[in-house]
């Protein structure tokens, strides 16, 4: 007798949507998130394309905590103190929104909970529970074993669960990039004035060139309701 039909490791977008769909089908689902709450541990620039999530939650933007709908897109090539910008204005066919994952992931996790999934936060899964060559659940901090028929590894793009289950090879430094992001407060009026936006409209700006001083990578800037998300990402292999 297993403890749950399905254990989902991670309550990021993938984990919460998987938990929601599985719980809705009547399975018993335990979702384990190592962060204090869903959304407290993630790395994300700030723009969500709607096409995928819309299949699960049609018109989700009407109730989800989105920031702004992207209507202004800028691609910038910087050299020295100068640069060239290409900008596209207007609502593109592919809808996208700026979001803050701390709020958004929590909303998604609540959807999963409402569908019947049990979400436990602040607990790290140490490894899959493997017996007789099969994954039979997970081992959490403190060596506690929790059994399930299926384990969903939704612990992110680098999934250490997949690595420990032997489903992918170890990653090397070359596979990683490092990113830094700051969310800076700016009033709604200043954002709309500086980025030439109407109410609720958002800008997504991406930059390459001298911004990373020769290192492979780029910068991003997304406008939220009353903050901007500003960041830079660089390949570790290129840094060395
Ligand atoms: C710098 C950067 C900028 C990005 N910008 C964008 C963007 O603007 N738009 C976009 O669409 N995508 C962006 N991405 C990609 C995006 O962040 C990922 O595609 C997305 O987060 C993947 O969702 P996920 O649910 O699979 O994993 P994650 O969001 O990584 O969620 C995994 C969850 O699992 C939890 N977890 C991990 N290990 C364990 C464990 N052992 N036990 C319990 N819980 C665990 C984590 O705490 C986390 O909550 C960006 C990525 C980076 C690195």
């Amino acid at each position: 007798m297993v403890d749950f039909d399905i254990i989902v490791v991670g309550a990021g977008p993938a984990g919460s949507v998987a938990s929601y769909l599985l719980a809705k089908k009547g399975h018993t689902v335990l979702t384990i998130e190592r962060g204090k709450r869903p959304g407290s541990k993630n790395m994300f620039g700030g723009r969500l394309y709607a096409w995928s999530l819309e299949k699960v939650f049609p018109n989700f933007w009407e109730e989800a905590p989105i920031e702004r709908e992207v209507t202004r897109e800028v691609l910038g090539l910087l050299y020295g103190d100068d640069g060239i910008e290409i900008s596209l204005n207007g609502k593109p066919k592919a809808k996208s929104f700026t979001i803050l994952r701390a709020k958004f992931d929590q909303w998604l996790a609540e959807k999963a909970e409402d569908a019947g999934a049990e979400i436990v936060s602040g607990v790290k899964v140490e490894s899959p529970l493997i017996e007789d060559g099969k994954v039979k659940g997970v081992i959490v901090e403190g060596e506690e074993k929790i059994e399930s028929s299926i384990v969903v590894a939704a612990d992110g793009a680098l999934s250490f669960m997949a690595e420990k289950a032997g489903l992918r090879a170890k990653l090397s430094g070359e596979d990683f990039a490092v990113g830094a992001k700051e969310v800076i407060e700016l009033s709604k009026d200043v954002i709309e004035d500086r980025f030439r936006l109407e109410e609720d409209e958002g800008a997504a700006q991406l930059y390459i060139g001298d911004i990373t001083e020769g290192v492979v990578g780029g910068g991003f800037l997304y406008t939220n309701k009353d903050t901007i998300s500003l960041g830079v990402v660089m390949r570790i292999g290129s840094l060395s």
Side-chain angles (χ1 to χ4, degrees):
M1 180 76 185
V2 290
D3 301 312
F4 292 88
D5 294 337
I6 297 150
I7 292 175
V8 177
V9 182
S16 285
V17 171
S19 304
Y20 168 81
L21 291 172
L22 292 164
K24 225 174 108 187
K25 281 204 178 281
H27 300 292
T28 56
V29 178
L30 173 68
T31 310
I32 307 175
E33 167 56 47
R34 69 178 170 169
K36 275 193 197 133
R37 55 184 185 284
S40 64
K41 262 180 138 19
N42 67 73
M43 183 60 211
F44 181 73
R47 178 185 199 172
L48 174 81
Y49 279 92
W51 63 270
S52 181
L53 196 59
E54 202 181 351
K55 290 180 194 153
V56 184
F57 302 111
N59 296 356
F60 67 85
W61 51 88
E62 288 170 7
E63 60 160 309
I66 55 133
E67 295 293 311
R68 291 171 179 267
E69 180 170 354
V70 175
T71 56
R72 185 173 152 75
E73 183 120 32
V74 173
L75 299 174
L77 176 59
L78 306 183
Y79 50 96
D81 294 334
D82 228 324
I84 300 170
E85 273 191 2
I86 303 167
S87 66
L88 304 162
N89 297 304
K91 286 189 183 175
K93 213 171 155 202
K95 244 184 198 318
S96 69
F97 301 92
T98 58
I99 60 165
L100 293 166
R101 288 273 304 271
K103 295 182 200 167
F104 197 83
D105 284 19
Q106 225 161 337
W107 174 78
L108 267 182
E110 278 163 22
K111 286 279 171 202
E113 260 177 340
D114 291 347
E118 192 176 319
I119 300 191
V120 177
S121 298
V123 176
K124 186 178 172 205
V125 173
E126 293 296 350
S127 69
L129 169 64
I130 301 175
E131 285 172 0
D132 305 325
K134 286 187 183 156
V135 174
K136 295 199 167 165
V138 297
I139 301 175
V140 297
E141 286 164 307
E143 296 300 305
E144 188 191 343
K145 293 178 182 174
I146 310 175
E147 294 188 2
S148 64
S149 304
I150 292 173
V151 173
V152 176
D155 53 333
L158 302 177
S159 183
F160 290 101
M161 286 292 289
E163 188 179 303
K164 285 177 180 167
L167 296 172
R168 73 153 166 77
K170 261 190 183 310
L171 297 168
S172 81
E174 287 293 314
D175 299 313
F176 291 84
V178 61
K181 169 181 160 185
E182 188 168 0
V183 178
I184 301 166
E185 232 176 315
L186 269 188
S187 78
K188 178 179 171 304
D189 290 345
V190 169
I191 289 176
E192 286 163 11
D193 181 45
R194 280 196 197 161
F195 294 89
R196 283 170 277 149
L197 301 167
E198 298 293 326
E199 182 149 15
D200 297 331
E201 288 184 347
Q205 311 200 164
L206 299 176
Y207 294 96
I208 54 168
D210 281 356
I211 187 171
T212 50
E213 298 182 345
V215 176
V216 177
F220 58 82
L221 188 160
Y222 299 106
T223 59
N224 304 313
K225 281 198 171 101
D226 50 13
T227 56
I228 57 167
S229 298
L230 181 69
V232 66
V233 180
M234 288 183 264
R235 280 205 70 137
I236 290 182
S238 172
L239 274 169
S240 61

